[in-house]
Amino acid sequence: MAIKDKIYNPEMECMSREELTKLQGERLAKTVKLVYDNVPTYRERMDAKGVKPEDITCLADIVKLPFTEKTDLRDQFPFGLLASPKEKIVRIQGSSGTTGKPIVSGYTEGDVEVWTEMVARALSAAGCTNEDIVQVCYGYGLFTGGLGAHQGATRLGAMTIPMSSGNTQRQIMMMNELGSTILMCTPSYAAYLGESIREAGLVPGKDIKLKAGVFGAEPWTEEMRKQIEELLGIDAMDIYGLTEIGGPGVAFECFNKHGMHVNEDHVIAEIIDPITEQQLPYGTPGELVFTTITKEGQPMLRYRTHDICTLYNDPCPCGRTHVRMGRITGRTDDMLVIRGVNVFPSQIEGVLVGIEGVAPHYVLVVDRVNHTDTLEVKVELTEEMFSDTVSHIEKIQKKITEQIKSVVGIMAKVTLVPPKSIPRSEGKAKRIIDNRKL
Amino acid sequence: MYIKQISVFLENTKGTLHEMMQLLGEHQINILAISLADTSGFGIVRLVVKSDDIDKALKVLADAGDMARVNDVVGIRVPHQPLGLATVLGQLDAADISIEYAYSFCRNTSDDAVIILRVNDAVKCAEVLQAKQVPLVAQADVDKF
Ligand SMILES: [Zn+2]
């Protein structure tokens, strides 16, 4: 472990859960009053549910509140969800969106300040101090990546290089000449940079002085982390954020690299069942929902990300008390309801990854036989699983079946298929075949 | 002392065994012994070929995307008559050696039957058989079949 994780704001980041719950409740109540008084959309929705601001007095009351969706941001574009007068707004950030209207978010001075600190916390956890040289290769502009990273690095007093995205040769030249020590970009670009550096004949550790990278804005895997760490000779840390909630820094990894601490003094993270919309306990995968509790410009009540992940509240050795979110493992659109049970492909993947010798290459086939849903999990055979004896292979098959049963609660039929017979694809792999005719 | 056996994973769909045999045959690989284990979900084909053909067979199978591996199995020569095999199995049983599976050669150069045994402990099995003077058949012997 090369990096020195430093807790930027111990008072907030290491607050006892009891105090934090109290603080969250107070801030939630304040936020609810703010939006009820200033944002017609929230007021109408709360009225429709028969909820008044005074009904929200503590954290547990959050379940009384209505949800917000991305479509609300589009429908209310550009200023319909502002809770502060326009003259208080000092910044607009947004995302272009691939179809139709973009979404934007307005920030007050206070919002920019909070956002800046959230990124500073993430960078500090990656060992960044005023002695560091931070190369930011996120795009600068409406996209929150560039400016967000820039503000956080500047806050720590680091020498910040606003390279923005693209022009790899120039990125490498500056990294080499200026001696950048911390890299901020997307994980895929970090891997690309690593390969380009090697192709250029430069040696990480000698010509390249990077020691850590804080990577986000797209989903990535442990496999990619290992690849990036090896290519660049650095610690690769994950950072999470979304424009709707405030940009990068909503959650970030500490040196333990086992999930990202959510900045809970500024946002409340919930996991819900996407169908029943009920809150789920820690450790259970479901849809990630965020509520901002310090935002003034454009607060969000129970914003549904439609991202699937798990929150963990077991104590972290780093000393931070804020819950950790695991990697985003899918979208709610991928969720299957089998015999009334919600099944996420990521749960199955987790089981497969957890069994030694088993590779996470799988396809789920759902069908309905005699009015009963069936789940078949096709798993690719690996060298380690294969043997000349039936009993050895069946033992692993049984282990997979049992663990799926214990994690998902469903008895699946595990079928072994030849190696490399399941198509690999970048990003969205076709992992589900639903043959049910409903 | 042992025979090299090639095991190949077989998907439980129609025609896969035929395809595999066709492929090996087209590469002039002759099968000296074969056994097919099938479960409801998959199959395992076990093959014995001449020493010179082992690497070739593995390459042909790998190129076709098949999962294959080689392991040692015990070969024994037993009289081709009633109780020929039973006598030996009785001896192994008495020595606490369990048989995972067994099969025989398609043909060989002697009048005896040649049986392949997959046991839980090959080393101990060979010791027991040698002590009982049961003739072992090694890969070098197989090459002369
Ligand atoms: Zn931690």
Side-chain angles (χ1 to χ4, degrees), chain B residues 66-101:
Chain B
D66 284 316
M67 176 77 79
R69 68 163 48 187
V70 177
N71 69 310
D72 286 337
V73 285
V74 178
I76 50 167
R77 197 180 286 279
V78 297
H80 208 314
Q81 62 190 48
L83 295 178
L85 178 59
T87 309
V88 180
L89 292 182
Q91 289 162 346
L92 292 178
D93 198 23
D96 245 359
I97 289 164
S98 57
I99 313 288
E100 310 253 3
Y101 56 82

PDB file of all heavy atoms in Angstrom, chain B residues 66-101:
ATOM      1  N   ASP B  66     -12.609 -27.291 -27.491  1.00  0.00           N
ATOM      2  CA  ASP B  66     -12.997 -28.284 -26.488  1.00  0.00           C
ATOM      3  C   ASP B  66     -12.100 -28.199 -25.264  1.00  0.00           C
ATOM      4  O   ASP B  66     -10.928 -27.887 -25.367  1.00  0.00           O
ATOM      5  CB  ASP B  66     -12.893 -29.695 -27.082  1.00  0.00           C
ATOM      6  CG  ASP B  66     -14.047 -29.993 -28.012  1.00  0.00           C
ATOM      7  OD1 ASP B  66     -15.192 -29.671 -27.653  1.00  0.00           O
ATOM      8  OD2 ASP B  66     -13.805 -30.534 -29.111  1.00  0.00           O
ATOM      9  N   MET B  67     -12.677 -28.486 -24.118  1.00  0.00           N
ATOM     10  CA  MET B  67     -11.907 -28.539 -22.878  1.00  0.00           C
ATOM     11  C   MET B  67     -11.410 -29.973 -22.729  1.00  0.00           C
ATOM     12  O   MET B  67     -12.204 -30.912 -22.702  1.00  0.00           O
ATOM     13  CB  MET B  67     -12.815 -28.158 -21.710  1.00  0.00           C
ATOM     14  CG  MET B  67     -12.153 -28.263 -20.358  1.00  0.00           C
ATOM     15  SD  MET B  67     -11.044 -26.900 -20.026  1.00  0.00           S
ATOM     16  CE  MET B  67     -12.187 -25.604 -19.566  1.00  0.00           C
ATOM     17  N   ALA B  68     -10.108 -30.163 -22.665  1.00  0.00           N
ATOM     18  CA  ALA B  68      -9.553 -31.504 -22.550  1.00  0.00           C
ATOM     19  C   ALA B  68      -8.405 -31.499 -21.562  1.00  0.00           C
ATOM     20  O   ALA B  68      -7.773 -30.478 -21.365  1.00  0.00           O
ATOM     21  CB  ALA B  68      -9.071 -31.997 -23.910  1.00  0.00           C
ATOM     22  N   ARG B  69      -8.184 -32.633 -20.938  1.00  0.00           N
ATOM     23  CA  ARG B  69      -7.029 -32.749 -20.060  1.00  0.00           C
ATOM     24  C   ARG B  69      -6.526 -34.193 -20.040  1.00  0.00           C
ATOM     25  O   ARG B  69      -7.248 -35.105 -20.415  1.00  0.00           O
ATOM     26  CB  ARG B  69      -7.353 -32.265 -18.657  1.00  0.00           C
ATOM     27  CG  ARG B  69      -8.336 -33.130 -17.916  1.00  0.00           C
ATOM     28  CD  ARG B  69      -8.282 -32.827 -16.442  1.00  0.00           C
ATOM     29  NE  ARG B  69      -8.333 -31.376 -16.222  1.00  0.00           N
ATOM     30  CZ  ARG B  69      -8.170 -30.812 -15.038  1.00  0.00           C
ATOM     31  NH1 ARG B  69      -7.934 -31.555 -14.007  1.00  0.00           N
ATOM     32  NH2 ARG B  69      -8.253 -29.504 -14.898  1.00  0.00           N
ATOM     33  N   VAL B  70      -5.292 -34.354 -19.615  1.00  0.00           N
ATOM     34  CA  VAL B  70      -4.689 -35.685 -19.604  1.00  0.00           C
ATOM     35  C   VAL B  70      -4.477 -36.107 -18.158  1.00  0.00           C
ATOM     36  O   VAL B  70      -4.073 -35.284 -17.334  1.00  0.00           O
ATOM     37  CB  VAL B  70      -3.321 -35.650 -20.317  1.00  0.00           C
ATOM     38  CG1 VAL B  70      -2.653 -37.017 -20.242  1.00  0.00           C
ATOM     39  CG2 VAL B  70      -3.482 -35.219 -21.763  1.00  0.00           C
ATOM     40  N   ASN B  71      -4.775 -37.346 -17.851  1.00  0.00           N
ATOM     41  CA  ASN B  71      -4.403 -37.845 -16.531  1.00  0.00           C
ATOM     42  C   ASN B  71      -4.042 -39.328 -16.606  1.00  0.00           C
ATOM     43  O   ASN B  71      -4.292 -39.988 -17.616  1.00  0.00           O
ATOM     44  CB  ASN B  71      -5.498 -37.572 -15.488  1.00  0.00           C
ATOM     45  CG  ASN B  71      -6.730 -38.380 -15.730  1.00  0.00           C
ATOM     46  OD1 ASN B  71      -7.250 -38.398 -16.842  1.00  0.00           O
ATOM     47  ND2 ASN B  71      -7.208 -39.081 -14.709  1.00  0.00           N
ATOM     48  N   ASP B  72      -3.389 -39.796 -15.549  1.00  0.00           N
ATOM     49  CA  ASP B  72      -2.950 -41.180 -15.528  1.00  0.00           C
ATOM     50  C   ASP B  72      -4.067 -42.094 -15.062  1.00  0.00           C
ATOM     51  O   ASP B  72      -4.770 -41.779 -14.107  1.00  0.00           O
ATOM     52  CB  ASP B  72      -1.776 -41.333 -14.547  1.00  0.00           C
ATOM     53  CG  ASP B  72      -0.496 -40.747 -15.124  1.00  0.00           C
ATOM     54  OD1 ASP B  72      -0.406 -40.633 -16.368  1.00  0.00           O
ATOM     55  OD2 ASP B  72       0.389 -40.398 -14.329  1.00  0.00           O
ATOM     56  N   VAL B  73      -4.195 -43.206 -15.746  1.00  0.00           N
ATOM     57  CA  VAL B  73      -5.120 -44.240 -15.289  1.00  0.00           C
ATOM     58  C   VAL B  73      -4.351 -45.564 -15.260  1.00  0.00           C
ATOM     59  O   VAL B  73      -3.301 -45.702 -15.890  1.00  0.00           O
ATOM     60  CB  VAL B  73      -6.372 -44.372 -16.197  1.00  0.00           C
ATOM     61  CG1 VAL B  73      -7.323 -43.218 -15.949  1.00  0.00           C
ATOM     62  CG2 VAL B  73      -5.998 -44.456 -17.668  1.00  0.00           C
ATOM     63  N   VAL B  74      -4.879 -46.509 -14.524  1.00  0.00           N
ATOM     64  CA  VAL B  74      -4.188 -47.794 -14.379  1.00  0.00           C
ATOM     65  C   VAL B  74      -4.708 -48.766 -15.434  1.00  0.00           C
ATOM     66  O   VAL B  74      -5.912 -48.899 -15.632  1.00  0.00           O
ATOM     67  CB  VAL B  74      -4.449 -48.376 -12.965  1.00  0.00           C
ATOM     68  CG1 VAL B  74      -3.775 -49.742 -12.817  1.00  0.00           C
ATOM     69  CG2 VAL B  74      -3.956 -47.404 -11.902  1.00  0.00           C
ATOM     70  N   GLY B  75      -3.792 -49.431 -16.117  1.00  0.00           N
ATOM     71  CA  GLY B  75      -4.193 -50.448 -17.100  1.00  0.00           C
ATOM     72  C   GLY B  75      -3.805 -51.823 -16.571  1.00  0.00           C
ATOM     73  O   GLY B  75      -2.705 -51.997 -16.048  1.00  0.00           O
ATOM     74  N   ILE B  76      -4.723 -52.764 -16.653  1.00  0.00           N
ATOM     75  CA  ILE B  76      -4.369 -54.129 -16.197  1.00  0.00           C
ATOM     76  C   ILE B  76      -4.751 -55.146 -17.256  1.00  0.00           C
ATOM     77  O   ILE B  76      -5.700 -54.952 -18.029  1.00  0.00           O
ATOM     78  CB  ILE B  76      -5.074 -54.510 -14.867  1.00  0.00           C
ATOM     79  CG1 ILE B  76      -6.588 -54.237 -14.954  1.00  0.00           C
ATOM     80  CG2 ILE B  76      -4.479 -53.756 -13.687  1.00  0.00           C
ATOM     81  CD1 ILE B  76      -7.373 -54.867 -13.828  1.00  0.00           C
ATOM     82  N   ARG B  77      -4.001 -56.222 -17.250  1.00  0.00           N
ATOM     83  CA  ARG B  77      -4.284 -57.311 -18.179  1.00  0.00           C
ATOM     84  C   ARG B  77      -4.919 -58.426 -17.356  1.00  0.00           C
ATOM     85  O   ARG B  77      -4.369 -58.838 -16.331  1.00  0.00           O
ATOM     86  CB  ARG B  77      -2.968 -57.779 -18.785  1.00  0.00           C
ATOM     87  CG  ARG B  77      -3.085 -58.605 -20.050  1.00  0.00           C
ATOM     88  CD  ARG B  77      -1.691 -58.984 -20.533  1.00  0.00           C
ATOM     89  NE  ARG B  77      -0.968 -57.862 -21.137  1.00  0.00           N
ATOM     90  CZ  ARG B  77      -1.153 -57.453 -22.386  1.00  0.00           C
ATOM     91  NH1 ARG B  77      -2.044 -58.035 -23.163  1.00  0.00           N
ATOM     92  NH2 ARG B  77      -0.448 -56.457 -22.853  1.00  0.00           N
ATOM     93  N   VAL B  78      -6.094 -58.861 -17.737  1.00  0.00           N
ATOM     94  CA  VAL B  78      -6.763 -59.937 -16.986  1.00  0.00           C
ATOM     95  C   VAL B  78      -7.170 -61.036 -17.949  1.00  0.00           C
ATOM     96  O   VAL B  78      -7.413 -60.773 -19.131  1.00  0.00           O
ATOM     97  CB  VAL B  78      -8.010 -59.412 -16.220  1.00  0.00           C
ATOM     98  CG1 VAL B  78      -7.613 -58.392 -15.174  1.00  0.00           C
ATOM     99  CG2 VAL B  78      -9.037 -58.844 -17.177  1.00  0.00           C
ATOM    100  N   PRO B  79      -7.236 -62.262 -17.452  1.00  0.00           N
ATOM    101  CA  PRO B  79      -7.662 -63.357 -18.341  1.00  0.00           C
ATOM    102  C   PRO B  79      -9.046 -63.089 -18.907  1.00  0.00           C
ATOM    103  O   PRO B  79      -9.931 -62.622 -18.179  1.00  0.00           O
ATOM    104  CB  PRO B  79      -7.687 -64.581 -17.405  1.00  0.00           C
ATOM    105  CG  PRO B  79      -6.868 -64.191 -16.226  1.00  0.00           C
ATOM    106  CD  PRO B  79      -6.981 -62.715 -16.086  1.00  0.00           C
ATOM    107  N   HIS B  80      -9.194 -63.354 -20.216  1.00  0.00           N
ATOM    108  CA  HIS B  80     -10.466 -63.079 -20.883  1.00  0.00           C
ATOM    109  C   HIS B  80     -11.407 -64.233 -20.610  1.00  0.00           C
ATOM    110  O   HIS B  80     -11.733 -65.036 -21.474  1.00  0.00           O
ATOM    111  CB  HIS B  80     -10.197 -62.933 -22.391  1.00  0.00           C
ATOM    112  CG  HIS B  80     -11.182 -62.034 -23.079  1.00  0.00           C
ATOM    113  ND1 HIS B  80     -12.520 -62.126 -22.873  1.00  0.00           N
ATOM    114  CD2 HIS B  80     -11.000 -61.021 -23.953  1.00  0.00           C
ATOM    115  CE1 HIS B  80     -13.132 -61.210 -23.600  1.00  0.00           C
ATOM    116  NE2 HIS B  80     -12.217 -60.519 -24.276  1.00  0.00           N
ATOM    117  N   GLN B  81     -11.865 -64.359 -19.392  1.00  0.00           N
ATOM    118  CA  GLN B  81     -12.732 -65.485 -19.012  1.00  0.00           C
ATOM    119  C   GLN B  81     -13.549 -65.105 -17.784  1.00  0.00           C
ATOM    120  O   GLN B  81     -13.221 -64.101 -17.130  1.00  0.00           O
ATOM    121  CB  GLN B  81     -11.862 -66.716 -18.693  1.00  0.00           C
ATOM    122  CG  GLN B  81     -10.935 -66.477 -17.524  1.00  0.00           C
ATOM    123  CD  GLN B  81      -9.910 -67.591 -17.349  1.00  0.00           C
ATOM    124  OE1 GLN B  81      -9.266 -68.014 -18.305  1.00  0.00           O
ATOM    125  NE2 GLN B  81      -9.756 -68.068 -16.130  1.00  0.00           N
ATOM    126  N   PRO B  82     -14.583 -65.891 -17.466  1.00  0.00           N
ATOM    127  CA  PRO B  82     -15.405 -65.547 -16.306  1.00  0.00           C
ATOM    128  C   PRO B  82     -14.543 -65.347 -15.059  1.00  0.00           C
ATOM    129  O   PRO B  82     -13.584 -66.095 -14.855  1.00  0.00           O
ATOM    130  CB  PRO B  82     -16.333 -66.757 -16.141  1.00  0.00           C
ATOM    131  CG  PRO B  82     -16.435 -67.321 -17.518  1.00  0.00           C
ATOM    132  CD  PRO B  82     -15.132 -67.055 -18.189  1.00  0.00           C
ATOM    133  N   LEU B  83     -14.880 -64.347 -14.301  1.00  0.00           N
ATOM    134  CA  LEU B  83     -14.182 -63.976 -13.057  1.00  0.00           C
ATOM    135  C   LEU B  83     -12.789 -63.382 -13.284  1.00  0.00           C
ATOM    136  O   LEU B  83     -12.087 -63.063 -12.336  1.00  0.00           O
ATOM    137  CB  LEU B  83     -14.071 -65.156 -12.082  1.00  0.00           C
ATOM    138  CG  LEU B  83     -15.403 -65.687 -11.528  1.00  0.00           C
ATOM    139  CD1 LEU B  83     -15.135 -66.891 -10.623  1.00  0.00           C
ATOM    140  CD2 LEU B  83     -16.150 -64.604 -10.782  1.00  0.00           C
ATOM    141  N   GLY B  84     -12.403 -63.187 -14.548  1.00  0.00           N
ATOM    142  CA  GLY B  84     -11.077 -62.610 -14.842  1.00  0.00           C
ATOM    143  C   GLY B  84     -10.895 -61.271 -14.164  1.00  0.00           C
ATOM    144  O   GLY B  84      -9.911 -61.027 -13.475  1.00  0.00           O
ATOM    145  N   LEU B  85     -11.861 -60.383 -14.348  1.00  0.00           N
ATOM    146  CA  LEU B  85     -11.769 -59.047 -13.761  1.00  0.00           C
ATOM    147  C   LEU B  85     -12.171 -59.066 -12.292  1.00  0.00           C
ATOM    148  O   LEU B  85     -11.563 -58.391 -11.460  1.00  0.00           O
ATOM    149  CB  LEU B  85     -12.659 -58.071 -14.557  1.00  0.00           C
ATOM    150  CG  LEU B  85     -12.727 -56.634 -14.062  1.00  0.00           C
ATOM    151  CD1 LEU B  85     -11.340 -55.996 -14.051  1.00  0.00           C
ATOM    152  CD2 LEU B  85     -13.674 -55.815 -14.935  1.00  0.00           C
ATOM    153  N   ALA B  86     -13.179 -59.897 -11.999  1.00  0.00           N
ATOM    154  CA  ALA B  86     -13.708 -59.939 -10.627  1.00  0.00           C
ATOM    155  C   ALA B  86     -12.626 -60.272  -9.613  1.00  0.00           C
ATOM    156  O   ALA B  86     -12.564 -59.663  -8.538  1.00  0.00           O
ATOM    157  CB  ALA B  86     -14.843 -60.951 -10.532  1.00  0.00           C
ATOM    158  N   THR B  87     -11.741 -61.182  -9.968  1.00  0.00           N
ATOM    159  CA  THR B  87     -10.674 -61.574  -9.052  1.00  0.00           C
ATOM    160  C   THR B  87      -9.817 -60.362  -8.677  1.00  0.00           C
ATOM    161  O   THR B  87      -9.543 -60.115  -7.500  1.00  0.00           O
ATOM    162  CB  THR B  87      -9.779 -62.651  -9.718  1.00  0.00           C
ATOM    163  OG1 THR B  87     -10.626 -63.672 -10.217  1.00  0.00           O
ATOM    164  CG2 THR B  87      -8.774 -63.223  -8.734  1.00  0.00           C
ATOM    165  N   VAL B  88      -9.433 -59.591  -9.694  1.00  0.00           N
ATOM    166  CA  VAL B  88      -8.580 -58.426  -9.441  1.00  0.00           C
ATOM    167  C   VAL B  88      -9.330 -57.375  -8.631  1.00  0.00           C
ATOM    168  O   VAL B  88      -8.784 -56.792  -7.688  1.00  0.00           O
ATOM    169  CB  VAL B  88      -8.073 -57.823 -10.773  1.00  0.00           C
ATOM    170  CG1 VAL B  88      -7.183 -56.626 -10.506  1.00  0.00           C
ATOM    171  CG2 VAL B  88      -7.320 -58.873 -11.582  1.00  0.00           C
ATOM    172  N   LEU B  89     -10.564 -57.155  -8.991  1.00  0.00           N
ATOM    173  CA  LEU B  89     -11.338 -56.136  -8.270  1.00  0.00           C
ATOM    174  C   LEU B  89     -11.491 -56.522  -6.805  1.00  0.00           C
ATOM    175  O   LEU B  89     -11.472 -55.674  -5.918  1.00  0.00           O
ATOM    176  CB  LEU B  89     -12.709 -55.939  -8.921  1.00  0.00           C
ATOM    177  CG  LEU B  89     -12.689 -55.309 -10.328  1.00  0.00           C
ATOM    178  CD1 LEU B  89     -14.110 -55.126 -10.838  1.00  0.00           C
ATOM    179  CD2 LEU B  89     -11.945 -53.974 -10.338  1.00  0.00           C
ATOM    180  N   GLY B  90     -11.612 -57.829  -6.566  1.00  0.00           N
ATOM    181  CA  GLY B  90     -11.702 -58.319  -5.198  1.00  0.00           C
ATOM    182  C   GLY B  90     -10.441 -57.974  -4.425  1.00  0.00           C
ATOM    183  O   GLY B  90     -10.502 -57.541  -3.264  1.00  0.00           O
ATOM    184  N   GLN B  91      -9.315 -58.095  -5.081  1.00  0.00           N
ATOM    185  CA  GLN B  91      -8.042 -57.777  -4.429  1.00  0.00           C
ATOM    186  C   GLN B  91      -7.949 -56.288  -4.109  1.00  0.00           C
ATOM    187  O   GLN B  91      -7.460 -55.881  -3.059  1.00  0.00           O
ATOM    188  CB  GLN B  91      -6.875 -58.204  -5.335  1.00  0.00           C
ATOM    189  CG  GLN B  91      -6.737 -59.726  -5.421  1.00  0.00           C
ATOM    190  CD  GLN B  91      -5.910 -60.169  -6.615  1.00  0.00           C
ATOM    191  OE1 GLN B  91      -5.639 -59.390  -7.525  1.00  0.00           O
ATOM    192  NE2 GLN B  91      -5.518 -61.437  -6.618  1.00  0.00           N
ATOM    193  N   LEU B  92      -8.411 -55.468  -5.041  1.00  0.00           N
ATOM    194  CA  LEU B  92      -8.359 -54.017  -4.829  1.00  0.00           C
ATOM    195  C   LEU B  92      -9.319 -53.616  -3.715  1.00  0.00           C
ATOM    196  O   LEU B  92      -9.013 -52.777  -2.876  1.00  0.00           O
ATOM    197  CB  LEU B  92      -8.703 -53.273  -6.121  1.00  0.00           C
ATOM    198  CG  LEU B  92      -7.669 -53.404  -7.249  1.00  0.00           C
ATOM    199  CD1 LEU B  92      -8.146 -52.675  -8.492  1.00  0.00           C
ATOM    200  CD2 LEU B  92      -6.311 -52.884  -6.814  1.00  0.00           C
ATOM    201  N   ASP B  93     -10.451 -54.246  -3.728  1.00  0.00           N
ATOM    202  CA  ASP B  93     -11.457 -53.968  -2.717  1.00  0.00           C
ATOM    203  C   ASP B  93     -10.899 -54.274  -1.329  1.00  0.00           C
ATOM    204  O   ASP B  93     -11.040 -53.493  -0.388  1.00  0.00           O
ATOM    205  CB  ASP B  93     -12.689 -54.837  -3.009  1.00  0.00           C
ATOM    206  CG  ASP B  93     -13.926 -54.304  -2.304  1.00  0.00           C
ATOM    207  OD1 ASP B  93     -13.920 -53.085  -1.995  1.00  0.00           O
ATOM    208  OD2 ASP B  93     -14.864 -55.077  -2.065  1.00  0.00           O
ATOM    209  N   ALA B  94     -10.223 -55.434  -1.247  1.00  0.00           N
ATOM    210  CA  ALA B  94      -9.630 -55.844   0.026  1.00  0.00           C
ATOM    211  C   ALA B  94      -8.593 -54.832   0.482  1.00  0.00           C
ATOM    212  O   ALA B  94      -8.358 -54.652   1.675  1.00  0.00           O
ATOM    213  CB  ALA B  94      -9.003 -57.227  -0.118  1.00  0.00           C
ATOM    214  N   ALA B  95      -7.950 -54.142  -0.491  1.00  0.00           N
ATOM    215  CA  ALA B  95      -6.919 -53.150  -0.150  1.00  0.00           C
ATOM    216  C   ALA B  95      -7.525 -51.756   0.006  1.00  0.00           C
ATOM    217  O   ALA B  95      -6.797 -50.759   0.085  1.00  0.00           O
ATOM    218  CB  ALA B  95      -5.837 -53.130  -1.221  1.00  0.00           C
ATOM    219  N   ASP B  96      -8.853 -51.688   0.034  1.00  0.00           N
ATOM    220  CA  ASP B  96      -9.552 -50.409   0.254  1.00  0.00           C
ATOM    221  C   ASP B  96      -9.375 -49.402  -0.871  1.00  0.00           C
ATOM    222  O   ASP B  96      -9.409 -48.195  -0.653  1.00  0.00           O
ATOM    223  CB  ASP B  96      -9.070 -49.778   1.567  1.00  0.00           C
ATOM    224  CG  ASP B  96     -10.216 -49.721   2.562  1.00  0.00           C
ATOM    225  OD1 ASP B  96     -11.330 -50.147   2.175  1.00  0.00           O
ATOM    226  OD2 ASP B  96      -9.993 -49.264   3.694  1.00  0.00           O
ATOM    227  N   ILE B  97      -9.187 -49.935  -2.062  1.00  0.00           N
ATOM    228  CA  ILE B  97      -9.053 -49.019  -3.205  1.00  0.00           C
ATOM    229  C   ILE B  97     -10.389 -48.988  -3.927  1.00  0.00           C
ATOM    230  O   ILE B  97     -10.960 -50.040  -4.246  1.00  0.00           O
ATOM    231  CB  ILE B  97      -7.925 -49.494  -4.143  1.00  0.00           C
ATOM    232  CG1 ILE B  97      -6.583 -49.262  -3.453  1.00  0.00           C
ATOM    233  CG2 ILE B  97      -7.987 -48.753  -5.484  1.00  0.00           C
ATOM    234  CD1 ILE B  97      -5.448 -50.000  -4.066  1.00  0.00           C
ATOM    235  N   SER B  98     -10.921 -47.795  -4.119  1.00  0.00           N
ATOM    236  CA  SER B  98     -12.233 -47.745  -4.771  1.00  0.00           C
ATOM    237  C   SER B  98     -12.088 -47.338  -6.235  1.00  0.00           C
ATOM    238  O   SER B  98     -11.227 -46.557  -6.603  1.00  0.00           O
ATOM    239  CB  SER B  98     -13.161 -46.800  -4.018  1.00  0.00           C
ATOM    240  OG  SER B  98     -12.580 -45.528  -3.937  1.00  0.00           O
ATOM    241  N   ILE B  99     -12.962 -47.891  -7.010  1.00  0.00           N
ATOM    242  CA  ILE B  99     -12.937 -47.659  -8.454  1.00  0.00           C
ATOM    243  C   ILE B  99     -13.909 -46.525  -8.784  1.00  0.00           C
ATOM    244  O   ILE B  99     -15.089 -46.600  -8.436  1.00  0.00           O
ATOM    245  CB  ILE B  99     -13.397 -48.935  -9.219  1.00  0.00           C
ATOM    246  CG1 ILE B  99     -12.710 -50.193  -8.679  1.00  0.00           C
ATOM    247  CG2 ILE B  99     -13.209 -48.766 -10.721  1.00  0.00           C
ATOM    248  CD1 ILE B  99     -11.261 -50.344  -9.000  1.00  0.00           C
ATOM    249  N   GLU B 100     -13.410 -45.491  -9.429  1.00  0.00           N
ATOM    250  CA  GLU B 100     -14.295 -44.396  -9.859  1.00  0.00           C
ATOM    251  C   GLU B 100     -15.033 -44.806 -11.133  1.00  0.00           C
ATOM    252  O   GLU B 100     -16.215 -44.576 -11.271  1.00  0.00           O
ATOM    253  CB  GLU B 100     -13.482 -43.135 -10.122  1.00  0.00           C
ATOM    254  CG  GLU B 100     -12.526 -42.756  -8.993  1.00  0.00           C
ATOM    255  CD  GLU B 100     -12.995 -41.543  -8.211  1.00  0.00           C
ATOM    256  OE1 GLU B 100     -14.085 -41.038  -8.508  1.00  0.00           O
ATOM    257  OE2 GLU B 100     -12.265 -41.123  -7.302  1.00  0.00           O
ATOM    258  N   TYR B 101     -14.292 -45.388 -12.045  1.00  0.00           N
ATOM    259  CA  TYR B 101     -14.911 -45.927 -13.257  1.00  0.00           C
ATOM    260  C   TYR B 101     -13.924 -46.883 -13.924  1.00  0.00           C
ATOM    261  O   TYR B 101     -12.732 -46.909 -13.591  1.00  0.00           O
ATOM    262  CB  TYR B 101     -15.352 -44.829 -14.227  1.00  0.00           C
ATOM    263  CG  TYR B 101     -14.253 -43.878 -14.655  1.00  0.00           C
ATOM    264  CD1 TYR B 101     -13.369 -44.214 -15.683  1.00  0.00           C
ATOM    265  CD2 TYR B 101     -14.122 -42.638 -14.063  1.00  0.00           C
ATOM    266  CE1 TYR B 101     -12.367 -43.343 -16.088  1.00  0.00           C
ATOM    267  CE2 TYR B 101     -13.123 -41.751 -14.456  1.00  0.00           C
ATOM    268  CZ  TYR B 101     -12.244 -42.117 -15.478  1.00  0.00           C
ATOM    269  OH  TYR B 101     -11.267 -41.267 -15.864  1.00  0.00           O
TER     270      TYR B 101
END
